[in-house]
Amino acid sequence: MPIDTKSTIDSGSPPPARRQTLAGLALLGVLVAAVVCTFAYVGGWFTPGKLTPKKFVDVFQAVDGEHAGFRRNHAKGLCVSGHFDSSGNGAAISRAAVFQPGRSEVVGRFSLGGGLPFQADTPTQVRGLGLQLTSTSGQVWRTAMINLPVFPVSTPQAFYERLQAGIPDAKTGKPDPAKMTAFNASHPESVAAVKIIKMNPPSAGFGDSTFHGLNAFVFSDSQGKSTPVRWVLEPVRSASTTALAIASATRPDDPNYLFDALIDAIHTHPLQWHLMLIVGQEGDPTNDASKPWPPSRQRIDAGMLTLDAVQSEDTSPTYQLNFDPLVLPDGIAPSDDPILSARSAVYSNSFTRRSGEHKPPSALTPASVNPK
Amino acid sequence: MPAQRTQFTMPMRILHWLMAAMVLAMLGIGFAMVSSISRYHALMSIHRPLGIAVLLVAGIRLIVRLLSPLPPFPPSVPPRERVVATASEYLMYTLLFAMPLIGWSMLSAARYPVTLFGAFRLPYIMPENPMLYWWLRKSHTVLAYLFFFTFLAHFTAILFHTLVKRDRLLRRMLPWKA
């Protein structure tokens, strides 16, 4: 029977309309899957080994524990305020309003490195100074500086690995020295940077510390000409600042001796720093904050920073600011230093975490900040 | 009886495809940004002004949408699907405004300067408040995922009509005369 034969032949495959439907559904599936995979790819789902801001902040927490409400690094601090009087000299290389002759309002925060908000002050712990300069036109410039002359690492990856080497061992409660030895063996650039850091011992206190911006930035003048720049705050050392700092250093029973000396000094007279712009030349490394620039580079005295008031973090709105080093005015731009984008990303992640938490009172309470 | 319109008006079609490109770029940049160390700043510098551009174009689009005649649903779209399609359209319009406004608000609450280009920046539209920032920041993420899945449903639905039902529903939005 011919009809039966035909139906037998065709019975294995669907009729044309159904085949079209199946082909359409298959194509639909492929296209939808392609879109989902593209977004999963850009979101990093296929590269779980990649360094992310979250992993970075997690490793800070692994080193010093999680302290709700506090910064994940530079957790112990004190807020200050004052002003910056521009000399106008900086306007030669940057069109930023802050370098025009005149005054910018300043708020800032002195801090100690590490994630422990109640650690006892020690002379060798890294000292930080975060600043926000607001020009009369409302332009905002934030910078976070430390008292080290160079950064101990060159790249975010190396920074992450160095932090990992400092995670306390679960059994001993202390970092395994073998891990830091292994890190140093594979990072000679870090060993070289630490050698430079050790050649520059810290000053007596916060008030007579030099603070370094470390990373290079690109300044642009009004014609659009760009110049690589690093900056540094050089203290105006007065006899009384130094005396107060030295006197406080002899109070080893005071766990806040560095901060208490700072409070005493500001209540005695304003603390001042010169903002020095260091002009880079062709060949100076802009992408590596672990390498110093030659000391012969031109230095422009851009003006005087004056800090004349001090507040506890518990009462100062400055505490809430994220001193993201990439909050920059027009006329200052990031360089090719990979640490800059990493700092911005990691600060932001840390900021978001603490902004949703309740902060207990800081080590430096409003009572400890009052004149004695 | 005048012939029934088979396509959206030209301004609506142009705005649809322009916004599709902008929104997909914003979602992609946003997902990449939060997981990136090295490209965080570069992506953030695009995300902020592009987000404000979305807000502006969304405003224009809403006005055009309210003033434009719409093509009716073809008979191949059953009544219940019409309800879902209309609801998802309203949801996407809401997100087009909500996402950039939340982004702008959260930067304001955290006191991150809302710089768009050069020295041009927008004013703060929220009081400084870290907890408010935290809630807005979390909403920004949750609504980004909602936006992505709404887009995916929209994309799947039009593919189903075009590839499986073959009812030429897509021609209503094609940029050329179809």
Side-chain angles (χ1 to χ4, degrees), chain A residues 152-153 158 161-162 165 177-195 198:
Chain A
V153 289
E161 288 169 19
R162 194 170 191 267
K179 287 186 178 163
M180 194 54 88
T181 308
F183 172 84
N184 286 335
S186 57
H187 290 279
E189 77 287 353
S190 180
V191 175
V194 170
K195 199 178 273 178
K198 288 199 170 139

Side-chain angles (χ1 to χ4, degrees), chain A residues 71 84 98-99 106-111 128-134 140-146 211-217 219 230-233 275 277 305 318 321-329 332 340 343 347:
Chain A
R71 282 164 159 81
F84 172 71
V98 67
F99 296 122
V106 172
V107 292
R109 180 176 177 272
F110 283 98
S111 62
L129 175 57
L131 292 177
Q132 170 175 272
L133 294 86
T134 309
V140 172
W141 177 23
R142 292 186 194 156
T143 172
M145 295 171 286
I146 54 176
F211 290 97
H212 302 259
L214 297 182
N215 305 104
F217 289 79
F219 280 35
R230 284 176 174 177
W231 59 75
V232 62
L233 283 175
L275 174 62
L277 305 177
L305 170 72
T318 305
L321 280 186
N322 173 3
F323 291 101
D324 177 343
L326 293 185
V327 171
L328 298 168
I332 307 180
L340 279 173
R343 287 176 70 186
Y347 286 30

Side-chain angles (χ1 to χ4, degrees), chain A residues 12 16 21 31 50 62-63 68 70 79 92 127 138 207 210 227 241 253 266 276 300 313 333-334 354 371:
Chain A
T21 304
L31 290 171
K50 202 183 80 163
V63 172
F70 291 98
C79 299
R127 296 169 202 164
T210 302
T227 311
T241 308
D253 52 317
I266 290 189
M276 306 301 293
I300 298 173
E313 292 185 332
R354 72 174 179 271

Side-chain angles (χ1 to χ4, degrees), chain B:
Chain B
M1 206 173 117
Q4 282 216 318
R5 158 173 291 285
T6 54
Q7 285 191 300
F8 287 94
T9 62
M10 186 55 94
M12 283 204 68
R13 283 178 278 154
I14 291 173
L15 285 166
H16 169 269
W17 293 105
L18 174 66
M19 294 227 77
M22 290 169 92
V23 167
L24 290 180
M26 282 301 281
L27 288 171
I29 291 169
F31 290 153
M33 193 169 88
V34 292
S35 65
S36 176
I37 288 279
S38 56
R39 282 192 286 264
Y40 174 81
H41 180 69
L43 292 170
M44 185 69 192
S45 306
I46 305 171
H47 196 79
R48 218 170 22 220
L50 191 54
I52 297 300
V54 167
L55 182 61
L56 286 174
V57 180
I60 296 168
R61 188 171 178 194
L62 180 65
I63 294 166
V64 170
R65 166 72 171 76
L66 293 173
L67 297 176
S68 302
L70 304 178
F73 279 112
S76 62
V77 182
R80 233 179 292 172
E81 198 185 319
R82 293 179 192 198
V83 174
V84 176
T86 307
S88 79
E89 186 201 7
Y90 290 174
L91 175 61
M92 283 195 275
Y93 268 92
T94 308
L95 289 171
L96 284 175
F97 284 95
M99 285 299 281
L101 283 173
I102 290 174
W104 184 359
S105 299
M106 74 191 204
L107 294 181
S108 301
R111 287 298 182 264
Y112 284 109
V114 194
T115 310
L116 296 190
F117 45 84
F120 181 72
R121 63 180 187 281
L122 295 177
Y124 296 130
I125 53 172
M126 284 288 160
E128 181 172 11
N129 184 329
M131 194 53 87
L132 176 63
Y133 161 80
W134 189 86
W135 279 106
L136 292 167
R137 177 66 191 80
K138 294 295 149 184
S139 317
H140 203 63
T141 299
V142 170
L143 292 182
Y145 278 102
L146 177 64
F147 211 156
F148 176 71
F149 287 112
T150 309
F151 155 74
L152 208 61
H154 179 71
F155 182 63
T156 308
I158 194 61
L159 284 180
F160 186 77
H161 277 276
T162 307
L163 299 172
V164 180
K165 281 186 122 176
R166 295 166 182 263
D167 59 4
R168 302 185 69 209
L169 185 66
L170 179 62
R171 77 170 166 170
R172 302 200 317 159
M173 201 48 103
L174 286 176
W176 53 84
K177 219 166 182 65

Side-chain angles (χ1 to χ4, degrees), chain A residues 233-272:
Chain A
L233 283 175
E234 288 189 340
V236 178
R237 290 193 173 91
S238 74
S240 65
T241 308
T242 310
L244 278 168
I246 290 170
S248 70
T250 60
R251 287 184 288 183
D253 52 317
D254 177 4
N256 304 322
Y257 81 90
L258 284 171
F259 285 101
D260 285 340
L262 175 67
I263 293 164
D264 290 347
I266 290 189
H267 285 317
T268 311
H269 61 83
L271 292 175
Q272 292 191 305

